[in-house]
Amino acid sequence: MNISRTLQAGLLALAMTGTAALAAAPAAHPPHFAIAGARFELDGKPFVIRSGDMHYPRIPRAAWRARLRMARAMGLNTVTTYAFWFQHEPEPGQWDFSGQNDLRTFIKTAAEEGLNVVLRPGPYVCAEVDFGGFPAWLLRTPGLRVRSMDARYLAASARYFKRLAQEVGDLQSSRGGPILMLQLENEYGSFGRDHDYLRAVRAQMRAAGFDAPLFTSDGAAGRLFEGGTLADVPAVVNFGGGADDAKGSIEELAAWRKQGPRMAGEYWAGWFDHWGEQHHNQSPEEAARTVDWMLAQGVSFNLYMFHGGTSFGWLAGANYSGTEPYQPDTTSYDYDAALDEAGRPTPKYFALREVIAKHVKEALPSVPAAPQPQALPAFALQPAGSLLARLDVLSEAQSSRWIRPMEAFGQNYGYILYRKRLDAPAKGQLVLNELHDQATVLADGRVIGRLDRRRGENTLAVDLPAGTQIDLLVEAMGRIGFGAKLVDDNKGITRSVALDKEELEGWTVYPLPMDAAALKRLPAGASGDMTAPGFWRGTLTLDKPADTFLDTRGWGKGQVWVNGRHLGRFWRIGPQQTLYLPASWLKAGKNDVLVFTTEPPTATTMQGLAGPVYETP
C-alpha cells in the first residue's frame, strides 16, 4: 500500500515535471519558407516574391555575379531559373555540371548576393531552347513520347531528377537553403491533361530528394489550369501585356483556385525573336505600371525575363503556329529585358527599379557600374576550305539504304550530309519529304538550290545526267520546344527522298555535329570551291579583352566560333545582325575566329560593335 502511494506520487511528480518542461520549451520553429493560404511566408513572416528569370547557360559564367548583383540593385529579392536537362546529360548517363552548366555555383552565388532562388527543374522547360530542354538522344528511341506515361521516358526523367538532386538538393529551403520552391513540370496545361503524368513527375521529384514546396505554372485560362495543375499543388499564372492583363489573369487564378498564393509565375516583360521576323519591344512604362499594380495588390511576380542573355551554341529552339509551319529562334535571347544581352541596365530597368523602391521599406543597393562593350577594328577572314573538301576530317561516312534522321546516326545537333551518285539521268521533281530544317542541294559540288522548312519548301526541279553526285546538306535549326509537335521533331530528312515519286535508296551519310573535337582537325589553308558551304578563318588581335558584338552583315548564314567557343547562328534575314562576344571568352593577343557559311559571303572582314544591330531586310 505504501509502495503504491509512493509510486503514484512519483508518477505525479514526473508528470508535473514533464508538463512544466513542455510549457517552458520554445515553440517549434516555422519552416524557412512556406505557402500559407494566399500568401508566402519566409521565416514565419509574410513574404512577397519579387523575382526575375536568369538562365545560367545563357550568361557567361564570369558574369554571373555581376548580373545577379544588378538584379538585387533593381529591387528583386529572388531569381528564377530552369535547370536544363539537355545541358546536364548530353548523352545517356554522362553528366555535366561544370563551367556554364554549374547550377550549384549559380545558386550559391545568388544567395551570396542576397537573392533567393526559385528552381524550375523540368523535365520540360520550354524557354525557347532546343526540344524544350529535353536531351535530343531521347529521339533515338523510335516511338518514345516525352511528357507522357511512356515507361522509357519516365525511366530517363527519374534518373535525371536523382542526379540533379544530388547536385542541389541540400540548397532547398526545406534544409535552410536559398531554393524557396520548385516548379512541377512547366505549363503542362498548354500541352496535355494527363494528371497521372503530373503525379508521376511529382513522385519522381520527391523520391529524388526534392522536398521543398512545389507549384505549377500555366497561362491564364481555366482549361489550362484544369490540364496543368493538381488539386493539392499551389498554382501560379503566366501572362503578358499591361496592368489590366495582370488584373484579369490574377482574378482568373483566384476564381480557379480559391486558396493559394497570388503570383505571376511569368510576367512577360518582353518577348523573343524568330529569324525573319521583327525584333520585339515592350515599353518600359507598360512594364512598370504592371509591376506597380502587382505590388500594390501584394501579388508576387517573376519577370520573364529579367536578363535573357544569349542562346550560345546549339541552345536555340523553335516554334510553329497555325500560319507558320516552323519558326526558328534567334541566337540572341535579349528578350527586350530589363538587363540587355550584354548585362547593361536599360530604361526598363530604371523604370522598374523606381516602382519597386516605392513599395519596399529598405533602401535598394546602388546600381553597379555597367559593362561597356566596345567597337573593335575590322579583321580579315581567309578561306579555310569548302565543306566538301573537309568532309573526311570532320566526319566518318556511314552507309544507309534509306534516308534516316540525324538522331538515327547518334547525332544531336549541327548539320548532316546525305550523298548519292545517280545511276541514271534524273529529270523531274526532287522531293525531300519532312525536311528538318534547311537543305543546301549540290550537284557535283555546285549549289543548285536551297529549301527552307519555314516556307514549306521541300521540292526542287532537277535535270541531271547519270553519274552526278548529289549532296544534300541539311541544317538543324532548333527543335520545336512548345506545343504538340515537340514530341517528334527529329532533324535531318526525317522520311524519304524521292525523284518523280520514286524513293531513292543507297546513301552515304556524313554526320556533322561541328563539335570541338571535329573542328580541331580542320587543316590550315584553302581548298575547294568557296562559293559552296565552307569555312573561313581570321585572327582578332586585342591589347585587352572587351565585350563586343560581332557584325555578321555580309556573311550570309552560318555559325561562329571564337577560341573554340561556339557563339551561335547568324543569318542575313535578321532581325539579329550581330553576335554577342563576351570579354571572358577573349584574351590579350591573338584570338582565333572560325566561321562556317552555307551561303557565299559578300564580305571578307568582320568587326566588333559597341551594341547589337536589329534589322529585318
Side-chain angles (χ1 to χ4, degrees):
M1 187 72 174
N2 289 338
I3 295 174
S4 177
R5 288 176 180 172
T6 302
L7 180 60
Q8 289 177 4
L11 290 173
L12 180 60
L14 181 61
M16 292 178 66
T17 302
T19 301
L22 287 172
H29 289 294
H32 177 51
F33 175 80
I35 301 174
R39 74 184 190 189
F40 299 111
E41 291 183 350
L42 191 65
D43 296 326
K45 298 178 181 179
F47 182 65
V48 174
I49 295 174
R50 305 189 303 272
S51 180
D53 250 90
M54 298 171 62
H55 301 156
Y56 53 101
R58 284 175 158 144
I59 307 168
R61 179 177 174 134
W64 284 353
R65 187 176 297 278
R67 310 290 164 86
L68 290 163
R69 196 166 286 171
M70 281 286 188
R72 187 72 189 91
M74 199 183 80
L76 301 185
N77 57 27
T78 305
V79 293
T80 295
T81 186
Y82 292 110
F84 295 89
W85 181 4
F86 74 135
Q87 293 296 98
H88 294 305
E89 194 181 11
E91 291 293 331
Q94 297 179 16
W95 301 99
D96 184 1
F97 288 91
S98 64
Q100 290 291 124
N101 297 329
D102 190 351
L103 173 60
R104 181 178 181 83
T105 295
F106 181 80
I107 293 171
K108 292 182 72 174
T109 305
E112 290 167 4
E113 293 302 324
L115 293 161
N116 303 293
V117 175
V118 172
L119 181 61
R120 306 205 275 177
Y124 166 75
V125 301
C126 185
E128 289 71 57
V129 295
D130 186 273
F131 200 13
F134 289 122
W137 48 259
L138 289 170
L139 293 170
R140 298 176 196 168
T141 301
L144 182 149
R145 185 176 177 85
V146 299
R147 306 186 84 182
S148 80
M149 294 297 287
D150 187 317
R152 300 164 296 180
Y153 161 69
L154 289 176
S157 63
R159 184 179 67 222
Y160 159 66
F161 279 128
K162 182 178 180 180
R163 182 62 184 84
L164 184 67
Q166 291 173 7
E167 198 70 24
V168 301
D170 64 312
L171 300 180
Q172 297 174 90
S173 60
S174 51
R175 305 174 204 182
I179 301 174
L180 300 181
M181 58 183 182
L182 301 105
Q183 182 174 292
L184 172 61
E185 239 267 358
N186 183 55
E187 295 186 318
Y188 181 71
S190 296
F191 177 84
R193 302 168 62 86
D194 187 348
H195 289 180
D196 287 339
Y197 166 67
L198 287 180
R199 282 188 281 267
V201 174
R202 176 175 62 182
Q204 289 187 348
M205 294 176 70
R206 292 311 195 199
F210 286 118
D211 49 15
L214 301 180
F215 69 98
T216 61
S217 181
D218 284 282
R223 64 178 181 83
L224 301 183
F225 290 135
E226 184 177 349
T229 64
L230 294 175
D232 54 350
V233 176
V236 301
V237 64
N238 302 341
F239 57 86
D244 289 342
D245 300 282
K247 183 175 184 293
S249 298
I250 295 299
E251 288 175 350
E252 184 85 27
L253 173 64
W256 175 259
R257 185 64 58 83
K258 303 298 183 184
Q259 293 295 320
R262 304 297 178 245
M263 179 174 180
E266 293 182 10
Y267 167 49
W268 304 319
W271 202 245
F272 55 90
D273 292 338
H274 294 133
W275 289 111
E277 300 178 8
Q278 295 296 318
H279 178 56
H280 288 87
N281 289 287
Q282 185 210 37
S283 75
E285 294 78 16
E286 182 178 63
R289 281 193 299 269
T290 306
V291 169
D292 189 20
W293 180 88
M294 288 190 283
L295 288 175
Q297 303 302 313
V299 172
S300 293
F301 66 85
N302 175 51
L303 299 172
Y304 194 96
M305 301 287 295
F306 163 71
H307 173 47
T310 309
S311 295
F312 294 113
W314 310 111
L315 274 174
N319 293 280
Y320 67 95
S321 68
T323 57
E324 300 291 337
Y326 180 69
Q327 299 168 293
D329 300 318
T330 60
T331 301
S332 172
Y333 201 63
D334 176 88
Y335 218 91
D336 190 37
L339 217 60
D340 77 0
E341 189 174 5
R344 294 174 292 188
T346 66
K348 187 177 292 182
Y349 177 99
F350 291 105
L352 290 169
R353 186 175 190 269
E354 182 178 353
V355 161
I356 292 171
K358 185 175 72 174
H359 289 277
V360 300
K361 296 178 180 179
E362 73 272 15
L364 300 184
S366 300
V367 178
Q372 298 294 326
Q374 295 181 19
L376 301 177
F379 58 96
L381 290 114
Q382 304 294 331
S386 72
L387 175 66
L388 298 187
R390 303 303 192 205
L391 270 183
D392 291 342
V393 299
L394 290 171
S395 180
E396 278 191 31
Q398 301 184 41
S399 297
S400 180
R401 179 181 177 184
W402 311 107
I403 284 286
R404 294 189 295 164
M406 175 183 288
E407 296 83 3
F409 299 95
Q411 182 181 350
N412 295 331
Y413 312 106
Y415 301 76
I416 189 166
L417 187 138
Y418 303 91
R419 172 172 287 177
K420 178 177 176 58
R421 193 168 293 278
L422 296 176
D423 299 325
K427 185 175 182 179
Q429 298 297 315
L430 182 70
V431 181
L432 281 57
N433 288 307
E434 295 299 329
L435 167 63
H436 294 184
D437 299 303
Q438 189 180 63
T440 303
V441 182
L442 301 98
D444 290 333
R446 179 176 58 87
V447 177
I448 61 171
R450 291 184 174 86
L451 300 173
D452 190 343
R453 181 184 180 189
R454 294 179 313 123
R455 299 195 290 258
E457 298 171 349
N458 70 345
T459 303
L460 182 68
V462 298
D463 186 358
L464 303 170
T468 299
Q469 177 180 284
I470 294 179
D471 287 312
L472 308 175
L473 175 64
V474 180
E475 177 182 357
M477 292 184 59
R479 291 176 181 83
I480 289 171
F482 185 83
K485 292 185 179 181
L486 78 88
V487 301
D488 57 0
D489 194 21
N490 294 72
K491 293 303 174 185
I493 301 172
T494 66
R495 183 168 297 175
S496 65
V497 173
L499 182 61
D500 275 356
K501 300 182 181 180
E502 181 178 343
E503 186 171 353
L504 298 180
E505 301 179 15
W507 295 89
T508 301
V509 181
Y510 294 86
L512 294 163
M514 300 288 193
D515 54 25
L519 295 176
K520 283 181 180 178
R521 296 195 295 268
L522 281 173
S527 178
D529 179 7
M530 293 307 295
T531 63
F535 296 92
W536 300 75
R537 194 181 292 277
T539 300
L540 172 59
T541 303
L542 299 173
D543 293 331
K544 181 181 179 181
D547 286 353
T548 194
F549 289 83
L550 284 184
D551 188 348
T552 59
R553 288 173 292 185
W555 283 93
K557 185 173 194 264
Q559 314 282 337
V560 176
W561 294 262
V562 176
N563 295 330
R565 296 270 198 170
H566 188 186
L567 301 190
R569 176 178 290 108
F570 62 88
W571 198 356
R572 59 177 173 76
I573 66 172
Q576 179 182 350
Q577 300 289 352
T578 50
L579 282 170
Y580 172 59
L581 174 55
S584 57
W585 293 5
L586 294 166
K587 58 187 178 182
K590 295 181 178 180
N591 295 270
D592 180 69
V593 180
L594 180 68
V595 178
F596 175 67
T597 62
T598 55
E599 299 178 5
T602 57
T604 57
T605 64
M606 275 190 183
Q607 63 180 333
L609 303 178
V613 174
Y614 298 105
E615 295 175 351
T616 302

